[in-house]
Amino acid sequence: MRCSRLAHSRTRDLAATCRRADIVVAAVGRARMVRGDWIKPGATVIDVGINRVPAADGKTKLVGDVNYAEAVKVAGAITPVPGGVG
């Protein structure tokens, strides 16, 4: 049995902590904070965050706490934002 580990935005070497996880639940409140290279290959990523960022058309769009474009290439499963956990 593996132990679970709770981490937060100020955890020392957060990226390394995430890289060891089979399941990452991101609920930080910072747009695209969790990068693709933080994800262990095949890990499950649950992105709970919802952040508004400027869009190219001058409006805003919703993104998660995980950089989806990077993480989707590594993760075994990932929730999209919007439309995932919601």
Side-chain angles (χ1 to χ4, degrees):
M1 175 185 245
R2 299 183 86 178
C3 67
S4 63
R5 173 166 284 193
L6 179 65
H8 53 80
S9 62
R10 293 194 176 131
T11 295
R12 187 174 302 160
D13 203 0
L14 181 58
T17 299
C18 290
R19 272 188 219 103
R20 290 191 299 271
D22 294 318
I23 301 170
V24 174
V25 179
V28 176
R30 292 186 189 167
R32 300 180 183 127
M33 180 178 171
V34 179
R35 308 301 302 249
D37 62 350
W38 293 21
I39 307 299
K40 177 181 177 179
T44 298
V45 179
I46 302 169
D47 191 348
V48 181
I50 297 177
N51 307 279
R52 286 201 178 274
V53 297
D57 61 3
K59 297 181 181 179
T60 62
K61 66 178 181 175
L62 293 177
V63 298
D65 291 346
V66 176
N67 187 319
Y68 185 87
E70 295 176 3
V72 73
K73 297 173 185 173
V74 182
I78 187 168
T79 59
V81 173
V85 177

